[in-house]
């Protein structure tokens, strides 16, 4: 998603702004730009490409202040004209935007009817032209008059050539943070607080059409009625370590290798019956009659597995919905529904929108997240942190297995407090859970074997990934890994569904990757393998040691450390991650920043 950065203070605004944009690159983007004020005029540089190309273009003396942007295209192609910042037709105002203006088309037509020309295809340019049309000397007032006209989500920062002492910002549903030092002599604005890494500043977050007037020495915040408001601030202290690949070729490969340690961190201090305070009382947790999990992409796959944990261990109805669908359903919710919002970034717009709908129905909301102070953690009743450390690669890996670890521990905790967990089962389950880091290490130690398999299957353009019960969401997740970094048509399929249609696609050029580690359904998965083999489909199976019958059917087998069904997704996920990584590497893809994707999807 788009990244916004702005700076006003005693340091060099241009250098500081470019450094801030560098911190946002990990999110994925396709174009970038900066704007500043020098000698009473707006200076703008844009690039329909990476920041490194933009830097080569910039030939600027010192700016009074600067705003910058990394664009992930939503409206309009990747072109110079569509890159931000956008200027109004009088070249007086420069604006950067993250979000989507849903009524931009009608607004643009109305502005065009007044003779206002447009240079880009973007919704963002409509905002700056509207503000300009309301400007009569006071930039805050012009923004105030504009916001009610906008439908949708936005975070904006803007400057005016006649006000070289101020940056104005505003936000609705899209994240926007303002970080400032104690005497307010310098302020940073960003849509992602990762841009503040390495600083020790006070941070406040704009929301609900609030407007900020940011100047050296003072920050004024106004609510949507233009009344001054005092915002709660938090201390953002981060001993910044530039994310490093630590010798690996890609962040993804490094983050895959970290998982024995990151899972251990997710476990630390939580193997107690009382778990940890999660912001929802024991009484409420005991009274819950339904658990509803929300998430997108990888987080949704973890959520589907988590729903099975809760049904198996806590014995209450549990389900998971993809957040972008959940918010348009009319689910039967209420105070006895525990809603769990899963999100690595804590900024996914669809997940935030769905949890806001659930909140309106009186549900208690628990967030499971990897980023402290993210929007999710500010909007839920309680949060559990993954403690997986920054996940830089767009492709989520360690966050997934840490989500599973936390969901397991939460299910054990709920099962314990509701008297569902016998001491014997608790000991047995915890013992198996504690073996998981070493199981994952075993798979990592055999990465070369998976790389050889990847080289054999790298040329195929189509795959089904199939599994049953715990292995179906696991298969979906492995398919997503391959799809998003190698651009191969890989899709998850319930193994039992194959004969209801998908089997028609199977042929010698359409392999199946089978996840066979769910013991309860092992006979059935073997039958499914036979169905595929009978149609000539190549089969790569990930199977638990001991399930030897798989070797009689599959063309290739990678043997996994055996465990209980509930915990089988861990090692299988690692194998799927490595398979995707090595196939993408073999195909020469951009693994950490795949095309068209972003790390934090802050638009709906
Ligand atoms: C996973 O590899 C993808 N990058 C994507 O599906 C991601 O899981 C999804 O956008 C949800 O992100 P979140 O966990 O930060 O909410």
């Amino acid at each position: 998603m788009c990244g916004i950065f702005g700076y006003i203070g005693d340091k060099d605004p241009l250098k500081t702004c470019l450094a801030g944009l560098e911190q946002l690159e990990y999110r994925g983007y396709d174009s970038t730009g900066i704007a500043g004020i020098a000698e009473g005029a707006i200076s703008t540089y844009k690039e329909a490409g990476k920041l490194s190309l933009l830097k080569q273009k910039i030939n600027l003396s010192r700016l009074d202040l600067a705003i910058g942007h990394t664009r992930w295209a939503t409206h309009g192609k990747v072109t110079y004209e569509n890159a931000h910042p956008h200027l109004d037709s009088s070249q007086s105002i420069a604006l950067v935007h993250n979000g989507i203006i849903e009524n931009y088309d009608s607004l643009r037509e109305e502005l065009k009817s007044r003779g206002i020309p447009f240079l880009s295809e973007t919704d963002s340019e409509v905002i700056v032209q509207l503000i300009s049309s309301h400007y009569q000397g006071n930039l805050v007032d012009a923004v105030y008059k504009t916001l009610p006209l906008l439908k949708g989500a936005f975070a904006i920062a803007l400057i005016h050539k006649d006000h070289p002492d101020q940056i104005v910002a505003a936000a609705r549903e899209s994240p926007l943070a303002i970080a400032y030092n104690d005497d307010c002599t310098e302020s940073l604005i960003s849509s992602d607080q990762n841009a503040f890494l390495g600083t020790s500043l006070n941070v406040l977050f704009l929301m609900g059409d609030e407007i900020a007037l940011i100047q050296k020495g003072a920050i004024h915040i106004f609510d949507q009625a233009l009344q001054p408001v005092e915002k709660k601030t938090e201390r953002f202290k981060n001993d910044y370590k530039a994310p490093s690949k630590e010798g690996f070729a890609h962040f993804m490969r490094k983050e895959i290798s970290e998982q024995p340690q990151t899972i251990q961190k997710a476990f630390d201090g939580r193997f107690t019956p009382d778990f940890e305070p999660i912001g929802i009382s024991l009484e409420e947790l005991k009274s819950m009659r339904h658990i509803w999990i929300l998430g997108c992409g990888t987080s949704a796959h973890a959520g589907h597995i988590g729903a099975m944990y809760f049904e198996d261990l806590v014995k209450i109805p549990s389900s998971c919905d993809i957040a972008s669908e959940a918010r348009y359903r009319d689910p039967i919710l209420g105070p006895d529904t525990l809603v769990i919002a899963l999100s690595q970034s804590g900024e996914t717009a669809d997940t935030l929108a769905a949890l806001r709908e659930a909140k309106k129905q009186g549900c208690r909301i628990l967030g499971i997240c990897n980023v402290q102070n993210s929007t999710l953690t500010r909007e839920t009743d309680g949060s559990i942190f993954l403690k997986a450390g920054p996940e830089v690669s767009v492709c989520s890996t360690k966050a997934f297995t840490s989500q599973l670890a936390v969901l397991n521990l939460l299910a054990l905790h709920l099962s314990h407090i509701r008297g569902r967990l016998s001491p014997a089962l608790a000991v047995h389950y915890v013992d198996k859970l504690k073996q998981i880091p070493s199981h994952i290490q075993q798979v990592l130690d055999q990465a070369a074997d998976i790389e050889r398999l990847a080289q054999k299957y790298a040329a195929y353009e189509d795959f089904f990934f199939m599994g049953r019960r715990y292995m179906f969401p696991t298969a979906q997740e492995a398919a997503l890994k391959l799809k998003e970094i190698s651009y191969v048509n890989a899709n998850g399929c319930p193994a039992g569904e194959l004969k209801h249609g998908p089997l028609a696609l199977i042929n010698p050029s359409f392999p199946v990757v089978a996840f066979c580690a769910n013991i309860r359904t092992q006979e059935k998965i073997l039958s499914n393998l036979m169905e595929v083999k009978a149609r000539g489909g190549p089969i790569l199976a990930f199977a638990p040691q001991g399930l030897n019958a798989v070797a009689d059917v599959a063309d290739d087998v990678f043997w996994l450390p055996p465990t209980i069904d509930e915990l089988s997704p861990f090692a299988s996920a690692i194998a799927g991650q490595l398979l995707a990584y090595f196939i993408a590497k073999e195909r020469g893809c951009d693994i950490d920043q795949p095309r068209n994707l972003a790390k934090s999807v802050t638009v709906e």
Side-chain angles (χ1 to χ4, degrees), residues 487-556:
Y487 318 144
V488 162
N489 175 35
N491 293 295
C493 175
E497 270 298 288
L498 218 54
K499 55 188 173 299
H500 298 289
L503 199 58
L505 292 177
I506 297 301
N507 65 65
S509 303
F510 202 122
V512 165
V513 178
F515 287 84
C516 309
N518 203 83
I519 301 305
R520 188 195 291 189
T521 53
Q522 62 185 16
E523 289 73 23
K524 291 289 191 302
I525 199 78
L526 286 170
S527 307
N528 298 137
L529 294 182
M530 303 289 274
E531 290 161 14
V532 172
K533 189 172 186 70
R535 276 82 185 172
I539 300 171
L540 165 58
F542 292 103
Q545 291 148 8
L547 190 55
N548 301 327
V550 171
D552 300 335
V553 188
D555 299 277
D556 298 283

Side-chain angles (χ1 to χ4, degrees), residues 295-299 342-348 351 393-397 403 477 480-481 484 597-601:
C296 299
T298 289
S299 292
L342 276 176
S343 175
Q344 187 285 135
S345 64
E347 302 298 346
T348 299
T351 306
S393 187
V394 166
C395 185
S396 190
T397 51
Q403 287 171 333
E477 171 58 13
L480 174 60
K481 298 300 90 153
E484 67 178 322
L597 301 181
K599 183 61 183 174
S600 165
V601 184

